[in-house]
Every structure is written in C-alpha cells, then in structure tokens.
C-alpha cells in the first residue's frame, strides 16, 4: 500500500524559490521536482504541491483567485521561540508577532510567493 498524504496546493510564482524555502527552513523533503513548473514536497503526512505559472494547477486557477489567500498550512513545533530565533537568524521575515491563545501559541510567516505558513506550539 502506498503512503497516504493530506495534499495542499500552493500557487507560487517561483517554484525553485519555494522549493528552497520549504526544504531549507521548514523541514520538507523533495518528493518530485519538475521545476520551474512544479514541485512536490512532503513533511510527515503533509504533501505540498508547489505549482508555478506554467503548471496545470496554476493554469486552472481563475484569474481573480490567483493571489495568495488567508488560508495557511499549520505546522506544529515543539519550541516556538527557538523556531522564531532560528528562522530570524536565517533571514526569514514574519508576518505577525507570536500570539497566545487557550490552545497554544502561533506565529505567521510567508513563503516567497506570499502563501502563509503558521508555526504552532500547543499548550501543555
């Protein structure tokens, strides 16, 4: 039986930049790359489909829906402060300050195309 993934497609303007971002900073592994059109990366059960302008996924997207939206992938981390420090030192810019709630703490960053990524540390 093949491994099962939950798949999310992100439309990006530069597949190679997105590929480098997710593998270098967020621990994704390349499953397949057809850059500059498309790449497929995984982290645990999450399969992230990075679709560039030449990909069929991007071409099928209506023009009014082409910009990055408010949706985001949600990555659980053990130590949010350590991740913020590590990524800041690597030059990654954040889109929010760390926010606390009853379920834990979170911060938002964006990939090179502007797609949001949430790093989340659950409350203990």
């Amino acid at each position: 039986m093949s491994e099962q993934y939950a798949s999310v497609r992100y439309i990006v303007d530069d597949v190679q930049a997105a590929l480098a971002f997710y593998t270098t900073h967020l621990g994704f592994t390349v499953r397949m790359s057809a850059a500059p059109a498309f790449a497929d990366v995984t982290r645990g059960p999450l399969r992230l489909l990075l679709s560039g302008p030449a990909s069929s996924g991007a071409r099928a997207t209506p023009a009014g829906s082409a910009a990055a939206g408010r949706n985001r992938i949600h990555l659980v981390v053990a130590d949010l402060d350590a991740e913020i420090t590590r990524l800041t030192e690597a030059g990654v810019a954040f889109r929010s300050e760390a926010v606390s709630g009853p379920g834990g703490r979170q911060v938002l960053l964006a990939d090179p195309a502007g797609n949001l990524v949430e790093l989340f540390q659950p409350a203990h």
Side-chain angles (χ1 to χ4, degrees):
M1 176 184 257
S2 65
E3 193 167 358
Q4 295 295 308
Y5 294 104
S7 297
V8 174
R9 182 181 309 280
Y10 266 177
I11 306 301
V12 299
D13 51 6
D14 183 334
V15 171
Q16 197 58 47
L19 191 59
F21 177 82
Y22 285 101
T23 58
T24 300
H25 300 303
L26 299 178
F28 281 78
T29 301
V30 177
R31 188 165 181 252
M32 189 276 284
S33 176
F38 173 82
D40 180 346
V41 296
T42 59
R43 177 179 160 164
L46 175 60
R47 180 179 176 213
L48 190 54
L49 309 171
L50 303 169
S51 297
S55 71
S56 59
R59 290 191 318 267
T61 304
S65 302
R70 295 177 50 98
N71 297 312
R72 58 192 181 241
I73 60 171
H74 176 268
L75 303 177
V76 175
V77 299
D79 184 340
L80 185 63
D81 293 324
E83 289 299 308
I84 291 170
T85 298
R86 180 182 70 79
L87 292 166
T88 299
E89 289 173 355
V92 175
F94 289 87
R95 293 288 179 95
S96 74
E97 298 294 323
V99 176
S100 296
R105 297 175 60 231
Q106 63 186 322
V107 68
L108 297 179
L109 56 138
D111 71 13
N115 294 299
L116 293 175
V117 176
E118 174 184 326
L119 300 181
F120 179 80
Q121 179 182 342
H124 296 293

